[in-house]
Amino acid sequence: MARILAVAPVLPGHVATQAEITAELAAGMTDDLAARAVMQRIHAASGIETRHLALPLAEYRGIEGFTATNALFAELALPLAERAVTAALAEAGLRVDEVDHLFFTTVTGLGAPSLDAQLATSMGFRPDLRRVPSFGLGCVAGAAGLARVADYLAGHPQGVALLVAVELCSLTLQWDDPSMANVVGTGIFGDGAAAVVMVGDAHPLLPASPGPRARVVASRSALYPESAEMIGWRIGESGFRLMLAAGVPALIDGNFAGAVDELLAEVGWTRADVDDWIAHPGGPRVLESFSAALDLAPAALASSWAVLARAGNMSSAAVLHVLAEVGPRPAGTRAVLFALGPGVTAEIVALEWS
């Protein structure tokens, strides 16, 4: 089974309070005082205190068009990914040239070659590095990445793999979109990145590695039918326009617990055996729906609420920030990590420290 040696969350250096962001966006998006009041009320109810941004807040109004925002993504996302990889490899005690496999994910910028090719070149990865760039999984991609990397390492038990997620959600801002989806999205999404180092269970570093390490016990994917319009992007000449339907909490209520219970049954656990619940901090209604569906006490998702308050929803990177927030755990600790994304897709990962 794949083991997690390091989790490195990173944030851009520009930080603003939720109130500061709301004031700037409201002033730039509408002259309607009633609409501004609605935005202020929704943003204030998000549970978010601060968000980190790729650029100073005042510079966003001067950016015009998808060509400009996508060029900024390529420029600004690369150093953020490099910071995350450098920190993760240092924590794991590994060199860049020891990495065999790279699973890279983003949903806030496009490129061919994709950013992971630039990352591999700039950081000096081996030329035979196996790269899997992912676009389109969105918020679920942090959890899905852990699962897919574990799948790879099951066939390469002496291998070293990196999961890298980088999201600059602020660059997808649509100033001319008055929809409720955009109003909500402008209140919850932030920028951030994370890197995770994983090794196969026969890697020679493991016997000398101090302390218990989380291992991926099993994972489960679920694609919900007739939900394609609920979460995602409409991509056009202005860039990424958010799709975010009000029915997502109901979808969680009706489907999520069953998928979790099926995964737990597969590994011989019940909900009572789970010590930590590591939820993607998609927003307050999403976290509340996860808690209700799984019949969890409010404190069970404390780490997710803490990340949401500090940095907002960073799409694919957010659940990896929550995993880092949970931190080292005693041997025998069991956890379930999970997220939702476009599709609508759920990804659920069972972890155990040993």
Side-chain angles (χ1 to χ4, degrees), residues 80-345:
L80 202 62
E82 289 172 339
R83 279 177 52 202
V85 170
T86 299
L89 288 175
E91 181 183 337
L94 290 168
R95 303 185 310 272
V96 170
D97 62 3
E98 293 179 281
V99 177
D100 306 299
H101 178 77
L102 171 61
F103 185 101
F104 175 83
T105 188
T106 187
V107 76
T108 53
L110 295 170
S114 49
L115 193 72
D116 55 295
Q118 300 175 51
L119 181 68
T121 300
S122 69
M123 295 200 69
F125 285 92
R126 296 196 320 261
D128 66 341
L129 175 73
R130 299 185 182 190
R131 296 184 298 109
V132 180
S134 164
F135 178 90
L137 287 172
C139 293
V140 80
L146 290 174
R148 300 296 81 79
V149 169
D151 292 342
Y152 169 83
L153 290 171
H156 300 81
Q158 293 188 334
V160 176
L162 265 174
L163 165 61
V164 179
V166 58
E167 304 287 10
L168 303 186
C169 301
S170 65
L171 294 177
T172 68
L173 176 62
Q174 300 290 318
W175 290 98
D176 64 343
D177 182 0
S179 69
M180 187 54 64
N182 192 46
V183 170
V184 173
T186 58
I188 62 173
F189 285 104
D191 298 346
V196 181
V197 178
M198 300 171 64
V199 297
D201 59 7
H203 190 274
L205 185 64
L206 281 176
S209 181
R213 300 287 184 174
R215 63 188 179 100
V216 176
V217 179
S219 65
R220 188 175 189 86
S221 304
L223 177 61
Y224 302 129
E226 300 180 6
S227 62
E229 299 296 311
M230 284 191 168
I231 304 173
W233 297 125
R234 290 187 174 91
I235 302 176
E237 60 184 270
S238 67
F240 301 106
R241 289 184 180 265
L242 184 65
M243 296 188 300
L244 188 62
V248 172
L251 192 69
I252 295 171
D253 293 343
N255 298 276
F256 190 70
V260 170
D261 289 340
E262 288 170 2
L263 176 63
L264 294 177
E266 179 183 326
V267 298
W269 302 354
T270 67
R271 291 187 213 172
D273 297 318
V274 178
D275 302 294
D276 291 310
W277 298 91
I278 303 171
H280 167 67
R285 291 193 64 193
V286 169
L287 287 178
E288 289 164 359
S289 296
F290 283 143
S291 292
L294 296 171
D295 195 25
L296 299 176
L301 300 184
S303 296
S304 299
W305 284 103
V307 169
L308 182 68
R310 183 168 63 244
N313 176 355
M314 297 163 281
S315 192
S316 66
V319 77
L320 304 178
H321 279 242
V322 180
L323 178 59
E325 181 81 8
V326 169
R329 304 292 283 130
T333 299
R334 292 172 172 175
V336 176
L337 180 149
F338 50 89
L340 289 182
V344 170
T345 301

